[in-house]
Amino acid sequence: MNCRPEDMLVYAVTDRAWLKGESLKDQVEKALKGGVTFVQLREKNLDRRLFLEEAATIKELCDSFHVPFVINDDVEIALASGADGVHVGQKDMDVKEARRRLGPGKIIGVSCKTVEQAKAAEAGGADYLGVGAMYPTDTKSDTSQVTVETLKAICRAVDIPVVAIGGIRADRIQPLKGTGADGVAVVSAIFGQPDIEAAARRLKETAEMYLGRHRRRKTVLTIAGSDSSGGAGIQADLKTMLANGVYGMSAITALTAQNTTGVSGIFPVTPEFLAMQIDSVFSDIRPDAVKIGMVSSGELIRVIAERLSYYKAENIVVDPVMISTSGSRLLDEDAVGALKELLLPMAAVATPNIPEAEVLSGICIRSSEDMVRAAEIISREYGCAVLCKGGHRLNDANDLLYRDGGFCWFMGRRIDNPNTHGTGCTLSSAIASGLARGYSLEQAVERAKEYLSGALEAMLDLGSGSGPMDHGFQIP
Ligand SMILES: Nc1ncnc2c1ncn2[C@@H]1O[C@H](COP(=O)(O)OP(=O)(O)OP(=O)(O)O)[C@@H](O)[C@H]1O
Ligand SMILES: Cc1ncc(CO)c(N)n1
Ligand SMILES: [Mg+2]
C-alpha cells in the first residue's frame, strides 16, 4: 500500500476559483503549514502547459513537507510532473488502466458512492477511496449525496484508507465519527477561507478529535539496556518513540549504572526473565516494530532471536551496540558471533556506527567508500539493509544506507554539540517508529535523522561528560 490511513486525515483539494489574486503555490504552502496531510491538484480547464508547470511547482512544495501529492484525473500530467499519483472518478480512467500506466509505486485514489464501487476499486488496485458527497457542495454540482450509513458500510467493506469528501467543514466532521473514515477531503473549507493556515489547522484538530481515535496508535518494543542517566538505552528509546508518535514498550536486557562520563556497572537480566518480558508484551500488545539495542551476551541474544521468531515480529531494527559513547564495552566479545548470525538476518535494518561496522564487516573504514564497502559486506553476508552511521566522522554526519544491492546517502549537517550521548539509540528508535507508522525504510531514516538533528540542535547540556540530547524536541 502506497498511502497510509494517516495520510488521509486532512486531504486538501485545490480550486483555482478561490485564488483571489494569490498564487496556488502560496495557497498550498499555507495549507501545508496548517498541517494538511495530502494534496490533490484539481484543474478542469487549465492550459496543459500551465497545468504541468503548476503540478511541478506543487509537487516540489509537497515533497518539502513530506506530504503525498496527486493529480486529479490526468495520468499524463501526473507522470510528467513526477506527482505521487492520481485520483480518478467513476467516469474517468479505469483504475486498472491507470495502474498499468503509472506502475506499482504510485498512489491511485478512486471516487466511490457505493459499496460495490468501493470493492471493485480496491480489487482493481486502488490505494485509497474518496467517498462522497457527504453534504451539498458547490465544488461539484453534478454529484449526489452519500449517507453516513453508506460511508460506514464502505469503510467496513475495504481495507484501504477512506477519505470522506463533499461539502465538508470543521462543523460537519462530528457526524462522521465512528464511520471508520480516515479523514476528510476539503476544498473551500481551506482554500476559501481568509486565513488558510488557520483553517487547515482547525480542520486537522477537529478531524483528529472525531476521526483519529479509531486509527490504532502504532506500537514499538525496545529490547535494550537501561541507562540510569536517561540519555541512552531504553530511556532514550521510549522518549524518542513518544516524540515520534508511537506507543513505546520495553524489555530490559541489562541495568547499567551509567552517566555522561562512563559506565560503572552492568547487571544483565537472566535469559528466562528477558523471555518473560518479551512474552508479556507480545501476548497483550503486539508491537508494530521492534528495536534491539544493547544485548550484552550471546545467551540473551539467543533468547531474543527465538522469541521474536516465535512471534513473527516485524520491522526489526538492530542497533549493534558494542561500545558506549563513553568508551565502555557493552557487548561481550564472544557474543559478536551470535549477534551476526542470529539478529542481523532478522533485521529490516541494522544501524552500526563506524567502529561497529568495522567489527561486523572485518574491514577498516577510513573514507566514504569504505563505509559503502563495509555496509555492502554486512548486507550481503546477513541479508539485511545496513545503515552505516557517520557520527564518528569528523566533518559531516552523513549516513549510508545499503540495501538490495544499492545504496543512498542521508546527508547530515554536523552540529557543533559535544553532547552526543545516545545518538545511536535515538536514531534506531526513531527509525523503528517510522517503520511502525508505515513509512518506507528511506522515509523512516530521513525522518529519524531530521528528529535527531533537532534533538541535537536543542543544545541540552547536562553532566560533566558527553551529555544527552533533548528528546522532547518535536519534528513538525
Ligand atoms: N555532531 C553531530 N551532528 C549531527 N548528527 C550527528 C552528530 N553526531 C552523530 N550524529 C548522527 O547521529 C546518529 C548516530 O550516529 P553515531 O555514529 O553517533 O551512533 P552511535 O555511535 O551508535 O551513537 P551512540 O554513542 O549513542 O551509540 C547518526 O545519524 C549520525 O549521523
Ligand atoms: C544502556 C545503553 N545502551 C546503549 C548505549 C549506547 O550508547 C549506552 N550507552 N547505554
Ligand atoms: Mg551506538
Side-chain angles (χ1 to χ4, degrees), residues 45 276 469 475:
N45 306 304
M276 285 169 68
M469 295 169 288
I475 52 175

Side-chain angles (χ1 to χ4, degrees), residues 427-442:
L427 187 85
S428 54
S429 296
I431 293 171
S433 301
L435 295 177
R437 292 181 65 184
Y439 287 103
S440 69
L441 179 57
E442 289 74 12

Side-chain angles (χ1 to χ4, degrees), residues 385-455:
V386 176
L387 180 75
C388 185
K389 300 172 291 188
H392 288 236
R393 289 161 57 108
L394 298 177
N395 306 318
D396 60 47
N398 300 336
D399 301 348
L400 181 274
L401 177 66
Y402 190 98
R403 70 181 307 196
D404 303 332
F407 67 89
C408 64
W409 284 93
F410 292 82
M411 312 311 274
R413 57 192 180 281
R414 187 102 207 142
I415 296 156
D416 185 14
N417 179 357
N419 299 304
T420 61
H421 178 63
T423 47
C425 306
T426 299
L427 187 85
S428 54
S429 296
I431 293 171
S433 301
L435 295 177
R437 292 181 65 184
Y439 287 103
S440 69
L441 179 57
E442 289 74 12
Q443 289 169 324
V445 171
E446 192 171 345
R447 288 175 61 87
K449 274 196 77 65
E450 210 170 295
Y451 169 69
L452 183 113
S453 299

Side-chain angles (χ1 to χ4, degrees), residues 319-325 330 351-353 356 389 392 422-425 428:
D319 182 2
V321 174
M322 294 180 191
I323 309 286
S324 71
T325 308
L330 298 174
T351 62
N353 59 28
E356 291 157 351
K389 300 172 291 188
H392 288 236
T423 47
C425 306
S428 54

Side-chain angles (χ1 to χ4, degrees), residues 197-246:
E197 184 174 340
R201 188 164 291 112
R202 179 167 172 245
L203 269 162
K204 186 168 187 177
E205 286 162 4
T206 310
E208 279 174 337
M209 191 186 308
Y210 294 113
L211 303 181
R213 286 208 192 105
H214 84 278
R215 284 198 318 280
R216 185 175 58 77
R217 173 73 67 188
K218 300 304 181 188
T219 61
V220 180
L221 169 64
T222 173
I223 304 173
S226 161
D227 166 8
S228 47
S229 70
I234 62 117
Q235 288 84 353
D237 298 346
L238 294 174
K239 286 185 261 188
T240 298
M241 291 168 190
L242 182 64
N244 283 270
V246 299

